[in-house]
Amino acid sequence: MTSVAVETFAMPAAGIRHDWSRVEIRALFELPFPELMFRAQSLHRAYFDPTEVQISTLLSIKTGGCPEDCAYCPQSAHYETGVKAEKLMSLDTVLKEARAARDAGASRFCMGAAWREPKDRDLDKVCAMVEGVRALGLETCATLGMLTAKQAEKLKAAGLDYYNHNLDTSPEFYGEIISTRTYQERLDTLGHVRDAGIHVCCGGIVGMGEAREDRVGMLAALANLPVHPESVPINMLVKVEGTPLVRGEELDPLEFVRTIAVARITMPRSVVRLSAGREDMSEETQALCFLAGANSIFYGPKLLTTPNPDTDRDMRLLDKLGMVPMR
Ligand code: SF4
């Protein structure tokens, strides 16, 4: 793969705002597609090299048996999805996987555990994993459920760079998707993570049967956080047999692209991640997402428990588009 020198347009750095109204965000969604793409692309170039894509690898360090009832999730113990509950992985196995991810080009290694919240003894084990992964020269990220302020501080002391905790959808639609924890509890965890000095990775899922207004509401909630998440994963629902959302209607891929573009415009300095759902996405849709301002992907054959495009396919696509992994 060749690296291309790209002259980024000298766009004036637009102010970072935290006072987006829903009317404004709705108006962005309603823009003619070429206009929306131009605005997103202009802002993308003001803050990033548009040819670069940050690459993360995600490993499920504790799979299945989760007591939460997130309607999209095959790891919830509430649904019969065939995902077996497993114990927390050993430190050695995690480090072996992290080394392989690094050798395959990943710059960040995310560790996901299907917990409502970590128990303190489990947190100590995760802290050891964070230290080990960091020593390999990788950025570290974890997603472990809700955290107390103390737990967030412990993770920070172990060297955790990012914590993922998604808002999932709009506050109004949230109750249709999860009943076992509240939106406010999610916001509280995000506050603890931010206060501990850990970067925040926070986004949501589209294609769950929500209305456009819910996508507007989700992006308003994210863009109006006191500090924008450094990383904003936008997931397309992966329908898994056994979960309540398996029979829902498909979301138009262009609406997904619009969601990416509006995320880029409202949070111009954040890395916007094309997350779950890429396995079923055409190369053309993924290319449009990159044009709309997506500049991160998950890499590797599996995303927790659902399939992800294989690494060769991803590299071929980046190569075709003349794009390169972000260093
Ligand atoms: S999304 Fe996370 S919290 Fe929700 S059921 Fe799945 S593993 Fe549990």
Side-chain angles (χ1 to χ4, degrees):
M1 194 179 306
T2 48
S3 172
V4 200
V6 169
E7 199 184 323
T8 49
F9 293 143
M11 296 287 298
I16 302 294
R17 291 179 47 197
H18 301 270
D19 59 351
W20 287 93
S21 72
R22 290 211 182 185
V23 174
E24 288 174 296
I25 295 182
R26 200 178 305 130
L28 289 174
F29 267 95
E30 286 166 5
L31 281 173
F33 195 72
E35 182 62 32
L36 175 63
M37 293 295 273
F38 176 72
R39 290 201 199 177
Q41 182 61 205
S42 303
L43 276 166
H44 190 180
R45 283 164 184 263
Y47 291 96
F48 294 99
D49 179 337
T51 65
E52 289 189 346
V53 181
Q54 190 272 327
I55 293 182
S56 296
T57 295
L58 176 60
L59 175 70
S60 179
I61 58 170
K62 195 270 161 210
T63 303
C66 182
E68 302 289 297
D69 68 351
C70 310
Y72 50 81
C73 183
Q75 302 203 66
S76 166
H78 295 255
Y79 317 124
E80 288 293 332
T81 61
V83 172
K84 288 201 183 75
E86 290 171 13
K87 286 200 185 124
L88 182 62
M89 249 180 207
S90 71
L91 177 61
D92 282 354
T93 311
V94 171
L95 294 184
K96 202 172 128 212
E97 296 276 350
R99 236 174 261 122
R102 182 194 60 187
D103 296 346
S107 60
R108 190 178 307 164
F109 191 70
C110 307
M111 294 164 272
W115 286 321
R116 176 175 165 78
E117 68 252 301
K119 293 190 185 81
D120 286 340
R121 66 162 192 274
D122 288 329
L123 196 77
D124 290 340
K125 292 182 187 160
V126 175
C127 285
M129 293 172 189
V130 169
E131 282 166 14
V133 171
R134 223 165 176 244
L136 295 173
L138 284 158
E139 282 186 316
T140 54
C141 175
T143 178
L144 316 168
M146 293 187 287
L147 292 182
T148 62
K150 249 191 161 160
Q151 289 177 322
E153 283 160 19
K154 237 177 164 178
L155 285 165
K156 173 68 183 171
L160 187 70
D161 298 299
Y162 286 81
Y163 193 80
N164 165 264
H165 200 60
N166 289 334
L167 287 179
D168 281 359
T169 186
S170 68
E172 297 78 27
F173 192 65
Y174 182 84
E176 303 285 321
I177 302 297
I178 299 132
S179 74
T180 48
R181 75 167 71 143
T182 65
Y183 213 74
Q184 187 55 49
E185 283 175 312
R186 290 190 183 245
L187 291 169
D188 291 346
T189 291
L190 291 173
H192 297 325
V193 169
R194 180 66 73 196
D195 290 347
I198 300 170
H199 294 319
V200 170
C201 170
C202 180
I205 308 174
V206 298
M208 298 194 291
E210 78 284 348
R212 175 180 273 182
E213 192 55 27
D214 295 306
R215 294 186 280 280
V216 169
M218 174 182 84
L219 292 180
L222 291 167
N224 292 334
L225 286 170
V227 180
H228 290 165
E230 281 78 7
S231 197
V232 180
I234 304 289
N235 299 277
M236 177 80 111
L237 175 70
V238 178
K239 291 179 183 163
V240 179
E241 203 58 55
T243 59
L245 298 182
V246 70
R247 305 264 169 262
E249 237 179 74
E250 297 294 328
L251 185 75
D252 180 344
L254 289 179
E255 181 68 8
F256 184 76
V257 177
R258 279 184 185 272
T259 309
I260 297 271
V262 177
R264 167 55 62 221
I265 294 168
T266 51
M267 293 168 278
R269 255 201 302 235
S270 304
V271 166
V272 176
R273 179 172 305 132
L274 204 47
S275 277
R278 280 198 314 117
E279 169 76 5
D280 296 328
M281 238 176 246
S282 69
E283 287 193 342
E284 292 82 352
T285 301
Q286 293 187 58
L288 279 176
C289 288
F290 292 135
L291 277 180
N295 59 348
S296 172
I297 55 171
F298 271 126
Y299 193 59
K302 248 183 167 190
L303 260 190
L304 294 176
T305 60
T306 55
N308 201 39
D310 66 45
T311 45
D312 282 354
R313 200 173 122 196
D314 282 333
M315 276 305 162
R316 272 200 305 274
L317 176 60
L318 290 187
D319 221 8
K320 249 196 223 184
L321 300 175
M323 299 177 76
V324 291
M326 197 184 281
R327 277 184 202 97

